[in-house]
Amino acid sequence: MSGGLVALLDDIATLAKVTASSIDDVAANAVKASSKAVGVVIDDTAVTPQYVSGLSPSRELPIIGKIARGSLINKLFIILPIALLLTWLAPQFLPFLLIVGGAYLCFEGGEKVLENLSWLPGHHEEHDEGGATSSEELEKGIVASATRTDLILSAEIMLVSMAGLSNETGIMRVAILIAVAFFMTFFVYGLVALLVKADDFGLHLAKDAIKPEDNRPGPVDNMGRTIVRVMPHIFNVIGVVGTVAMLWVGGHLVIENLAAVGVPVFHHILEVAEHAVASAGGFVTWLVETLLSGVFGVILGAVIAWIVVGASALVHRARTKA
């Protein structure tokens, strides 16, 4: 009896080790897969704070929480099932989805570049001017708009992450993608929450650092004022880095997956360039590949942006004449 108990305990210990190893594998692969979606993550982080701009500070975190919940629903209950079904039933379509996703990233980045250079005439942003009559309805509209935008960005994150899991088994792939969904959502919206509340923290420091009997600013007050002053610049830097990352990741996705569907010309150019600088080391090789992917992304994104703007202008003229 004791021998059977010892054997059972040994089996349990072995199972626990295997389970722990599997959890470690899932976590490691989730982080690795998530790293490939860096461009989308930075852009998501840069875009989200605009939705709570101008609102009461007391409502910023609750709204970010609602957007994060919507993002998790997008990833787990809409994007993941559709992507897995396509992968299992028609895996040949995944490269085409990634080409579309990469092209959309290039379009987003190229559009921002052209707008900053004022090379996108006739482009007008559409603003939602719904007649919300209460703060509750206003918040619902903000959350709905942010969740719709997140659906696109989350689809990019999940598809880019899935692209690196072709060698994983079905169950492990699902586990890793679920981990990616949770990790990315908490990372992005946790970071957004910190960024959004940073200026409030700076104001708090500045206000509490000055005592009524002493109106001279001290070190803590200066720190608070500095935080408030630099936060707009930090958001600008995040926006620029996000644009660059989108163009790099988008261009790389399109080039790699065009080669997978039988259009290897751009991938061949990358290989030739990488081979030419291979003797300079791995970092230089990566830098050249990143630069060329980014240049490709800018060109492709600019072309798509011009086409979209032209089509929008034609539609607008047709509606005006009608």
Side-chain angles (χ1 to χ4, degrees):
M1 181 70 179
S2 60
L5 179 60
V6 171
L8 177 61
L9 292 175
D10 185 58
D11 289 342
I12 292 174
T14 302
L15 180 60
K17 290 179 181 179
V18 172
T19 302
S21 177
S22 297
I23 293 174
D24 289 341
D25 289 342
V26 169
N29 283 308
V31 172
K32 183 178 179 181
S34 300
S35 66
K36 296 183 178 180
V38 61
V40 194
V41 172
I42 297 174
D43 185 59
D44 210 353
T45 306
V47 167
T48 304
Q50 70 180 334
Y51 290 104
V52 295
S53 176
L55 295 179
S56 169
S58 63
R59 297 304 304 160
E60 289 175 345
L61 291 183
I63 290 176
I64 291 173
K66 290 178 181 179
I67 297 172
R69 183 178 62 185
S71 175
L72 202 56
I73 292 172
N74 284 340
K75 293 182 181 74
L76 292 178
F77 299 105
I78 299 176
I79 299 164
L80 183 57
I82 293 175
L84 289 175
L85 279 175
L86 284 175
T87 302
W88 288 331
L89 300 178
Q92 67 273 19
F93 286 122
L94 185 57
F96 293 99
L97 286 177
L98 290 169
I99 290 171
V100 172
Y104 182 81
L105 284 179
C106 294
F107 162 68
E108 287 272 296
E111 185 182 38
K112 290 179 180 180
V113 170
L114 293 179
E115 282 180 347
N116 290 330
L117 295 175
S118 300
W119 289 355
L120 204 62
H123 179 73
H124 302 284
E125 294 183 1
E126 295 180 0
H127 300 277
D128 186 6
E129 299 179 354
T133 57
S134 69
S135 59
E136 183 178 351
E137 291 176 348
L138 177 62
E139 288 187 11
K140 286 182 179 179
I142 291 172
V143 172
S145 177
T147 304
R148 285 194 298 270
T149 300
D150 176 87
L151 181 63
I152 298 172
L153 296 172
S154 291
E156 298 296 330
I157 289 173
M158 299 302 284
L159 287 174
V160 171
S161 300
M162 183 180 287
L165 301 175
S166 57
N167 295 327
E168 300 293 342
T169 61
I171 295 176
M172 179 62 75
R173 181 182 297 177
V174 172
I176 292 170
L177 289 173
I178 290 174
V180 167
F182 278 98
F183 173 74
M184 283 298 197
T185 301
F186 290 129
F187 175 79
V188 169
Y189 291 100
L191 182 57
V192 167
L194 289 175
L195 290 171
V196 165
K197 300 307 291 184
D199 54 351
D200 293 337
F201 177 68
L203 286 172
H204 180 74
L205 287 179
K207 181 176 67 175
D208 289 355
I210 300 179
K211 298 178 180 179
E213 64 273 12
D214 184 9
N215 290 326
R216 291 177 300 174
V220 177
D221 173 74
N222 289 331
M223 180 185 297
R225 293 173 185 270
T226 300
I227 291 174
V228 173
R229 189 166 56 249
V230 303
M231 282 312 297
H233 301 293
I234 289 176
F235 280 117
N236 289 335
V237 171
I238 291 173
V240 171
V241 173
T243 300
V244 172
M246 276 196 301
L247 291 168
W248 156 48
V249 174
H252 181 77
L253 274 176
V254 173
I255 290 172
E256 289 292 322
N257 287 281
L258 280 176
V261 297
V263 186
V265 56
F266 302 109
H267 189 266
H268 180 66
I269 294 173
L270 280 185
E271 287 182 333
V272 171
E274 290 174 357
H275 181 72
V277 298
S279 59
F283 175 75
V284 174
T285 302
W286 173 84
L287 192 62
V288 169
E289 188 275 333
T290 299
L291 178 62
L292 291 178
S293 295
V295 170
F296 177 86
V298 169
I299 296 172
L300 178 61
V303 170
I304 296 174
W306 272 99
I307 292 173
V308 170
V309 169
S312 298
L314 290 174
V315 170
H316 180 71
R317 291 196 196 104
R319 288 179 176 176
T320 303
K321 290 180 180 179

